[in-house]
Amino acid sequence: MTTIKDVARIAGVSVASVSRVLNNGPKVSKATIEKVSRVMKELNYTPNANARALVTQKSTTLGVVIPNLIDPFFASLAHGVEQVARQKNRQLLLSTAMVSAETEMQAINLLIERRCDVMVVHSKKLSDQALIELANKVPGLVLIDRYIEAIAPRCVWLDNLEGGKIAARHLLALAHKSFACVSSKHQIDDPLLRLQGFQSELQSAGTNIEDDLIEYGEPTLQGGEIATQKLLASGKSFSALFVYNDAMAIGAISTLEDNGFKVPSDISVLGFDDVLLSRYSRPKLSTLNYPIEQMAMQAANIGIELISKQPMNNSDISCKHIPRLVKRESTSFNVN
Amino acid sequence: MTTIKDVARIAGVSVASVSRVLNNGPKVSKATIEKVSRVMKELNYTPNANARALVTQKSTTLGVVIPNLIDPFFASLAHGVEQVARQKNRQLLLSTAMVSAETEMQAINLLIERRCDVMVVHSKKLSDQALIELANKVPGLVLIDRYIEAIAPRCVWLDNLEGGKIAARHLLALAHKSFACVSSKHQIDDPLLRLQGFQSELQSAGTNIEDDLIEYGEPTLQGGEIATQKLLASGKSFSALFVYNDAMAIGAISTLEDNGFKVPSDISVLGFDDVLLSRYSRPKLSTLNYPIEQMAMQAANIGIELISKQPMNNSDISCKHIPRLVKRESTSFNVN
DNA sequence: TTGAAAGCGATACCAA
DNA sequence: TTGGTATCGCTTTCAA
């Protein structure tokens, strides 16, 4: 690979001069600019970003830590970060981490080795303490989908509890009286919070879900199908079903219709997340929008802001997001 | 950030020794290993990957160039590359490029600046010549979804033409006689090839598609809906519909059922790509599997192989992939 | 406006 | 087994 020295030698100038034209330095004659530019083109010269980072002590990367890219939810997260990266002329560095404390730590460390100074981290397993220490070590680290009091301004998260409440309010407003829920025993507590919020709002309205009408499953299409079969097997009837996420909700609809129930006329089904799938299902899924892409963009911007010399006072900007009800076709007024 | 010098000073050894324990060097006493390791831990030392890359002249990154991460197809591609990266202890560097020659070139250049030595590139707009030159400059560059004769062993691609033929054979085998097609006028020629393959196979069977029964649309759900409406508006009947991709196919099914046609009993619908969506649709979509994830993994492995000192003789390994028919529920025997 | 030289954080060769 | 030191490619004073 040709280096700055090659360019300098062939152009008959010092490396300092080449460096100056490379960085649009302030004091360079037009003559050198042209001469050097021409040689750079001739030699097909590409500056070495690693060397630059080394000497300038600043990175032009933007890191993101997620479990994987195959889950559209995390792909959206990464997409949000990527958009900010492009806009800020940074390169996206991606580190994957299974949901385990060790791999999450490893993934973050890989970014630190690269001296990545801004990173959006999705960590469910590292302890609050570990994360706080990391946040101290890496000024541009921002957590997404997690809330830790001590570093609250650096957490961008969704209020799942409130999401559950919004779901309940929607179904109550549609005059539903008997409710069921398909939830998930995931390694994270999002499902729990959603269910809690849902139940608490029902209770405020003087009703509740019968114990038999709460089932759990894997957070997938099949998981939703199986859980719904169990629900049906209980023999109890219900007119509104709140499901942990969209994939499960689509599975639920599938099982309900296979068993002769029409959605939404017989049973309303409400999902959560508003992933791409929800627009493709028939009937189109009513759900709660999880604005993960915007949240990821906000997180990335906060990270960049944090390492800038003159941090704006962003303390007034809320990092808590409330899911938004998206009414499509799978929920409707209860006429029974 | 603490550096190797800090560690050396505090441990009372030379930087050379620290470097040795860092790299499990061959000649280090147990004593120094322990001493240095302890200090590294104490100081929370993380080696600087940029400095390492600079002196060793080798990268530990794996690059990928795609249009975006929001399209599940490209997310799968990136996911495949990411898996290889993790397995080979490399970090994923992602560069996005809109489908235009300039942005594609920019994206690749960003990777070169980082001295990324292996990259999987999805380029539809750069000229063959430009790509060949890049391939010469970057020995570990591999193209995906593109075939260029001159660098054939470094192209991993899908035979779209054959895909169209397979589609036709499937529908013919189901005794269909009247065909329609929803295609796309995309900036790339995949749709064209699929349609060509489809038609050529029909012709071999002594039949064809009437001109009125080929419609084009955006490669999206809505695009599929609209194109199918136009098809229906023609007034001509058909029992089998071949659609450019799964998103459009799901749109097509939606429109067909809205117009009183049952899928597959009245009309069989066949998609292409086998994205996640196809398993979530009702009826579940029959489609052609585009093994993009495996292809991406193969591409990444080829890239790594290319820069290894002792390249295996892989010339016998085919980089051409044939889509595989996935029979689900949207196609069935034609009983009329 | 230009160039010489120090230094960023590591590795690796050569001596000791 | 260790340490000294040149070096990677670049930026950034400091003089000229």
Side-chain angles (χ1 to χ4, degrees):
Chain A
M1 256 295 35
T2 86
T3 74
I4 199 173
K5 284 184 191 167
D6 302 320
V7 177
R9 186 167 33 79
I10 305 215
V13 299
S14 70
V15 293
S17 288
V18 178
S19 175
R20 287 191 191 100
V21 340
L22 212 49
N23 299 286
N24 303 311
K27 279 142 184 324
V28 232
S29 71
K30 231 172 171 173
T32 20
I33 294 187
E34 283 175 14
K35 188 167 40 175
V36 170
S37 303
R38 190 164 35 72
V39 175
M40 294 200 305
K41 207 138 294 172
E42 273 174 29
L43 299 185
N44 201 2
Y45 169 69
T46 313
N48 184 323
N50 294 323
R52 284 177 131 168
L54 186 58
V55 59
T56 58
Q57 299 281 55
K58 61 185 63 166
S59 162
T60 50
T61 59
L62 182 43
V64 57
V65 174
I66 50 175
N68 63 66
L69 278 172
I70 203 66
D71 183 330
F73 180 83
F74 296 119
S76 296
L77 197 171
H79 176 68
V81 177
E82 187 275 328
Q83 287 177 79
V84 175
R86 189 153 26 80
Q87 184 191 327
K88 302 283 187 183
N89 281 309
R90 284 168 174 261
Q91 187 103 28
L92 195 79
L93 261 179
L94 189 129
S95 255
T96 56
M98 296 176 342
V99 183
S100 88
E102 302 81 55
T103 54
E104 286 177 356
M105 185 57 105
Q106 276 172 22
I108 295 171
N109 264 327
L110 284 176
L111 296 181
I112 297 180
E113 285 187 12
R114 288 246 129 62
R115 292 302 183 268
C116 180
D117 53 357
V118 179
M119 54 184 84
V120 176
V121 174
H122 180 277
S123 166
K124 290 290 185 180
K125 284 301 185 187
L126 282 172
S127 67
D128 285 7
Q129 191 48 43
L131 254 6
I132 292 170
E133 280 168 21
L134 281 168
N136 287 335
K137 184 171 181 184
V138 184
L141 186 152
V142 178
L143 295 180
I144 191 159
D145 288 349
R146 175 138 177 186
Y147 178 75
I148 299 176
E149 182 81 37
I151 48 173
R154 294 164 70 178
C155 298
V156 176
W157 56 288
L158 186 87
D159 191 338
N160 281 294
L161 194 77
E162 184 63 24
K165 294 187 184 179
I166 293 170
R169 270 180 239 135
H170 173 55
L171 263 11
L172 287 165
L174 291 175
H176 287 280
K177 304 269 187 303
S178 51
F179 304 89
C181 185
V182 165
S183 187
S184 168
K185 296 228 155 107
H186 220 207
Q187 59 269 73
I188 57 178
D189 47 26
D190 301 25
L192 201 66
L193 289 169
R194 293 176 190 180
L195 180 53
Q196 276 178 8
F198 190 72
Q199 287 179 307
S200 94
E201 195 70 13
L202 290 189
Q203 273 155 25
S204 305
T207 175
N208 70 338
I209 317 183
E210 286 186 53
D211 281 350
D212 300 12
L213 288 178
I214 301 180
E215 283 294 345
Y216 300 86
E218 290 297 303
T220 60
L221 178 81
Q222 285 81 13
E225 289 175 347
I226 296 169
T228 305
Q229 281 158 16
K230 292 195 220 154
L231 235 35
L232 259 22
S234 78
K236 308 222 170 145
S237 76
F238 53 92
S239 72
L241 176 60
F242 177 48
V243 186
Y244 169 57
N245 71 17
D246 292 342
M248 295 185 91
I250 291 173
I253 291 177
S254 174
T255 294
L256 290 175
E257 301 218 319
D258 286 348
N259 284 273
F261 297 95
K262 281 281 162 209
V263 176
S265 52
D266 297 331
I267 298 180
S268 285
V269 175
L270 183 58
F272 207 116
D273 286 351
D274 193 24
V275 293
L276 191 62
L277 291 174
S278 57
R279 258 150 291 176
Y280 282 69
S281 79
R282 278 178 67 82
K284 292 194 177 65
L285 195 65
S286 293
T287 187
L288 288 159
N289 178 266
Y290 196 137
I292 187 61
E293 186 177 323
Q294 293 101 287
M295 288 169 66
M297 292 180 71
Q298 181 188 34
N301 279 315
I302 289 175
I304 288 174
E305 193 56 44
L306 281 169
I307 61 158
S308 76
K309 345 286 152 204
Q310 294 227 294
M312 286 169 37
N313 186 358
N314 281 327
S315 54
D316 52 333
I317 293 185
S318 170
C319 303
K320 175 169 99 171
H321 291 249
I322 309 286
R324 182 176 45 81
L325 177 71
V326 180
K327 170 110 189 54
R328 294 207 182 87
E329 304 165 353
S330 67
T331 53
S332 69
F333 199 79
N334 177 29
V335 292
N336 303 315
Chain B
M1 269 247 81
T2 85
T3 74
I4 198 172
K5 284 184 190 165
D6 302 320
V7 177
R9 186 167 33 79
I10 304 214
V13 299
S14 70
V15 294
S17 289
V18 178
S19 176
R20 287 189 192 99
V21 340
L22 212 50
N23 299 286
N24 304 311
K27 282 143 181 322
V28 233
S29 71
K30 224 161 177 182
T32 21
I33 293 188
E34 283 175 14
K35 187 167 42 175
V36 170
S37 302
R38 190 164 35 72
V39 174
M40 292 200 306
K41 208 138 294 172
E42 274 175 27
L43 299 185
N44 200 3
Y45 168 69
T46 313
N48 184 322
N50 293 323
R52 284 176 133 168
L54 186 57
V55 60
T56 60
Q57 298 281 55
K58 62 185 60 166
S59 162
T60 51
T61 58
L62 212 177
V64 56
V65 175
I66 50 175
N68 63 65
L69 278 172
I70 204 66
D71 183 330
F73 180 83
F74 296 119
S76 297
L77 197 170
H79 176 69
V81 177
E82 188 276 327
Q83 286 177 80
V84 174
R86 189 153 26 78
Q87 184 192 327
K88 302 283 187 182
N89 282 309
R90 283 166 174 264
Q91 186 103 30
L92 195 79
L93 262 179
L94 189 129
S95 256
T96 55
M98 297 176 342
V99 183
S100 86
E102 301 82 55
T103 55
E104 287 177 357
M105 184 57 104
Q106 274 172 23
I108 295 171
N109 265 327
L110 285 176
L111 296 181
I112 297 180
E113 285 187 13
R114 289 246 128 66
R115 292 303 181 267
C116 180
D117 54 356
V118 180
M119 56 184 82
V120 176
V121 173
H122 180 279
S123 166
K124 291 289 185 183
K125 284 300 185 186
L126 282 172
S127 67
D128 285 7
Q129 191 48 43
L131 254 7
I132 292 170
E133 279 168 22
L134 281 167
N136 287 335
K137 183 171 180 184
V138 184
L141 185 152
V142 178
L143 295 179
I144 190 159
D145 288 350
R146 174 136 178 188
Y147 178 74
I148 298 177
E149 182 82 37
I151 48 174
R154 295 165 70 178
C155 297
V156 176
W157 56 287
L158 186 87
D159 191 339
N160 281 294
L161 193 77
E162 183 63 23
K165 294 186 183 180
I166 293 170
R169 272 179 238 134
H170 172 55
L171 264 9
L172 286 166
L174 291 174
H176 286 280
K177 305 268 186 302
S178 51
F179 304 88
C181 185
V182 165
S183 186
S184 168
K185 295 229 158 108
H186 220 207
Q187 58 269 72
I188 57 180
D189 47 25
D190 300 27
L192 201 65
L193 289 168
R194 293 176 190 180
L195 180 53
Q196 276 177 9
F198 190 72
Q199 287 179 305
S200 93
E201 195 70 14
L202 290 189
Q203 272 153 25
S204 305
T207 175
N208 71 339
I209 317 182
E210 287 185 53
D211 282 349
D212 299 13
L213 288 177
I214 300 179
E215 281 294 344
Y216 300 85
E218 290 297 303
T220 61
L221 179 79
Q222 286 81 12
E225 289 176 348
I226 296 170
T228 306
Q229 281 158 17
K230 291 194 219 155
L231 235 36
L232 259 22
S234 77
K236 308 222 170 149
S237 75
F238 53 92
S239 73
L241 176 60
F242 177 46
V243 186
Y244 168 57
N245 71 17
D246 292 343
M248 295 184 91
I250 291 174
I253 291 177
S254 172
T255 294
L256 290 175
E257 302 218 317
D258 286 349
N259 283 274
F261 297 95
K262 281 280 161 211
V263 176
S265 52
D266 296 331
I267 297 180
S268 286
V269 175
L270 182 57
F272 207 116
D273 286 352
D274 194 22
V275 293
L276 190 62
L277 291 173
S278 57
R279 258 150 290 176
Y280 282 71
S281 79
R282 275 178 71 81
K284 291 192 177 65
L285 195 65
S286 293
T287 187
L288 287 159
N289 178 265
Y290 196 137
I292 186 63
E293 187 177 323
Q294 293 101 285
M295 288 168 66
M297 293 180 71
Q298 181 187 34
N301 280 314
I302 289 176
I304 288 173
E305 193 55 45
L306 281 169
I307 61 156
S308 76
K309 346 283 152 207
Q310 295 227 292
M312 287 169 36
N313 186 357
N314 281 327
S315 53
D316 51 332
I317 292 184
S318 170
C319 302
K320 176 170 99 171
H321 291 249
I322 309 286
R324 181 176 48 79
L325 178 70
V326 180
K327 169 109 191 57
R328 294 208 182 85
E329 303 166 353
S330 67
T331 52
S332 70
F333 199 79
N334 178 28
V335 292
N336 304 314

